[in-house]
């Protein structure tokens, strides 16, 4: 398109991105399991400067606040580098709580219940900035938050490994099923 500088492109919604620059996180990048950057887009330094209020920092918790992924959240660690978020992702910057504890709390049934309770009306599900300020967290000592977060890191890692093993077994069985069907419908094996 003649309207854009070389190295820029426009998405289906008319947003203009660059091929390299500052990461621009959207709701499709924020999952309970982590930040997925396979399809991350980039903004220029100029756009980043205009959007400096949406820059993320290490330790921020990112929360999807609109649409079907509302409530999904994860935190920013030191590996992300410079990044911004769009209007569908809210930044929660813990001051009196540990980042991982806040993430686990928001992912818990009580955190997700608050997401549902605080959604605004209208045609589209969403959380407003004022609703996010209404979130209530348990007031427990930092040392206890750390103990809980460490325990959950360990247990969730163990569970994720078990899920991965089960998924591999499921995929193997699906392949076996396809193979059996193929062999019998093609006459390679008989009943």
């Amino acid at each position: 398109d003649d309207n854009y500088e070389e190295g820029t492109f426009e998405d289906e919604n008319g947003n203009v991105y660059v091929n390299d620059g500052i990461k621009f996180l959207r709701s499709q990048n924020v999952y309970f399991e982590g930040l997925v950057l396979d399809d991350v887009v980039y903004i220029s330094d100029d756009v980043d400067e205009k959007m400096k209020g949406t820059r993320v920092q290490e330790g921020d918790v990112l929360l999807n606040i609109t649409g079907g992924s509302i409530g999904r959240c994860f935190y920013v660690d030191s590996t992300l580098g410079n990044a911004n978020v769009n209007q569908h992702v809210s930044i929660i910057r813990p001051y009196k709580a540990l980042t991982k504890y806040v993430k686990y709390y928001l992912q818990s049934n009580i955190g997700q219940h608050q997401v549902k309770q605080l959604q605004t009306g209208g045609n589209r599900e969403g959380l407003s900035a004022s609703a996010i300020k209404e979130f209530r967290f348990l007031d427990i000592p930092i040392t206890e938050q750390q103990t809980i977060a460490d325990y959950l890191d360990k247990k969730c890692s163990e569970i994720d490994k078990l899920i991965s093993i089960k998924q591999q077994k499921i995929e193997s069985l699906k392949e076996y099923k396809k193979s059996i069907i193929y062999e019998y419908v093609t006459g390679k094996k008989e009943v």
Side-chain angles (χ1 to χ4, degrees):
D1 193 312
D2 293 338
N3 295 327
Y4 302 110
E5 297 175 32
E6 188 176 334
T8 65
F9 61 96
E10 182 177 340
D11 72 3
E12 65 279 359
N13 298 318
N15 299 310
V16 178
Y17 302 117
V18 294
N19 291 325
D20 195 27
I22 308 297
K23 291 176 195 81
F24 191 59
L25 303 175
R26 302 167 293 163
S27 57
Q28 61 256 48
N29 301 118
V30 181
Y31 287 83
F32 289 124
E33 299 80 21
L35 299 178
V36 177
L37 303 177
D38 299 345
D39 66 345
V40 73
V41 293
Y42 299 91
I43 56 175
S44 68
D45 290 335
D46 291 344
V47 173
D48 171 61
E49 185 58 34
K50 290 177 190 166
M51 299 179 66
K52 59 185 169 190
T54 62
R55 288 178 183 155
V56 299
Q57 298 175 13
E58 182 180 350
D60 287 347
V61 177
L62 305 181
L63 174 69
N64 289 350
I65 58 172
T66 63
S69 68
I70 192 168
R72 279 194 329 222
C73 60
F74 206 74
Y75 63 92
V76 175
D77 66 16
S78 61
T79 64
L80 181 64
N82 295 333
N84 266 303
V85 296
N86 74 1
Q87 71 274 22
H88 303 291
V89 180
S90 180
I91 299 169
I92 297 174
R93 193 160 287 151
Y95 289 108
K96 295 181 179 180
L98 293 176
T99 296
K100 280 189 180 181
Y101 176 79
V102 171
K103 179 214 43 148
Y104 282 125
Y105 187 85
L106 289 172
Q107 289 179 352
S108 73
N109 288 342
I110 193 167
Q112 291 299 297
H113 179 73
Q114 286 188 70
V115 167
K116 286 180 178 60
Q117 292 297 313
L118 294 171
Q119 287 180 36
T120 57
N123 296 334
R124 187 178 177 121
E125 297 175 332
L127 288 174
S128 65
S130 59
I132 292 169
K133 289 178 183 173
E134 294 297 316
F135 268 102
R136 296 291 172 243
F137 294 93
L138 298 176
D139 187 18
I140 61 174
I142 293 289
T143 54
E144 192 173 335
Q145 291 179 34
Q146 186 67 58
T147 301
I148 292 168
D150 291 345
Y151 175 80
L152 289 173
D153 281 348
K154 181 180 176 211
K155 292 308 274 183
C156 289
S157 177
E158 291 170 4
I159 292 168
D160 288 342
K161 285 178 187 170
L162 291 172
I163 290 170
S164 178
I165 290 168
K166 293 289 185 190
Q167 286 174 331
Q168 289 171 3
K169 287 181 180 179
I170 289 168
E171 289 307 312
S172 293
L173 288 171
K174 284 180 180 178
E175 288 303 314
Y176 177 65
K177 179 181 172 183
K178 286 180 190 175
S179 173
I180 292 290
I181 291 170
Y182 172 77
E183 288 175 353
Y184 282 92
V185 299
T186 61
K188 292 187 182 218
K189 288 194 176 183
E190 294 181 9
V191 180

